[in-house]
Amino acid sequence: MSPSATPGAAGELRGAGLRVTAARVALLETVRHGDHLGIEAITLAVRDRVGHISLQAVYEALHALTAAGLIRRIEPAGGAPRFEGRVGDNHHHVVCQSCGVVADVDCAVGEAPCLTASDDHGFSIHEAEVVYWGLCPACSTARSS
Ligand SMILES: [Zn+2]
Ligand SMILES: [Zn+2]
């Protein structure tokens, strides 16, 4: 892959102090363009672009990119981890209890209001996440018909 094909992702990796590899560029773009993808879906998409990459290498790259703040890991209770490219805005998620589909939910009021806990127990809080559980439109339609 020519570096000029993806100046954005490569530049961001470099800016975050990460080594730029074709796999990491593919992974960052896959997560950004995807919609809360799980590890298997990410692995398949990355293999599609750069050829064989081990699951272990995918895990390591996901970890490095998450630690660098380029992607965000979400882990609905009892579900497999998902990754997304929307970072730094403290948004929430709605999760379907039937099929597991995930969608973004903006904070209901103002600027990240959920960061102001009623009792912070002395912690310095930098992120809060609400998970709304329910049924997606497709699943509720399937149940009621
Ligand atoms: Zn559903
Ligand atoms: Zn999200």
Side-chain angles (χ1 to χ4, degrees):
M1 192 191 334
S2 79
S4 62
T6 53
E12 284 178 62
L13 287 166
R14 218 171 281 121
L18 294 172
R19 200 160 44 88
V20 178
T21 66
R24 283 180 174 179
V25 168
L27 191 138
L28 179 56
E29 292 183 344
T30 297
V31 171
R32 288 242 168 104
H33 297 154
D35 188 14
H36 307 99
L37 296 174
I39 287 169
E40 297 93 285
I42 293 170
T43 305
L44 288 176
V46 171
R47 280 184 185 154
D48 227 39
R49 290 184 48 170
V50 302
H52 183 75
I53 174 169
S54 71
L55 199 54
Q56 183 61 30
V58 170
Y59 273 103
E60 283 169 9
L62 284 171
H63 181 81
L65 268 60
T66 304
L70 294 174
I71 59 175
R72 177 173 171 201
R73 175 193 170 105
I74 58 166
E75 204 160 357
R82 314 286 194 101
F83 293 85
E84 67 179 345
R86 188 176 162 187
V87 294
D89 69 349
N90 198 64
H91 71 275
H92 307 303
H93 293 101
V94 59
V95 183
C96 177
Q97 288 170 303
S98 178
C99 70
V101 76
V102 179
D104 287 336
V105 178
D106 291 329
C107 255
V109 216
E111 190 115 329
C114 308
L115 287 181
T116 313
S118 52
D119 178 359
D120 64 14
H121 296 275
F123 283 55
S124 134
I125 295 173
H126 50 84
E127 189 177 310
E129 185 177 3
V130 176
V131 178
Y132 301 90
W133 295 92
L135 286 177
C136 72
C139 289
S140 10
T141 308
R143 290 214 174 174
S144 59
S145 60

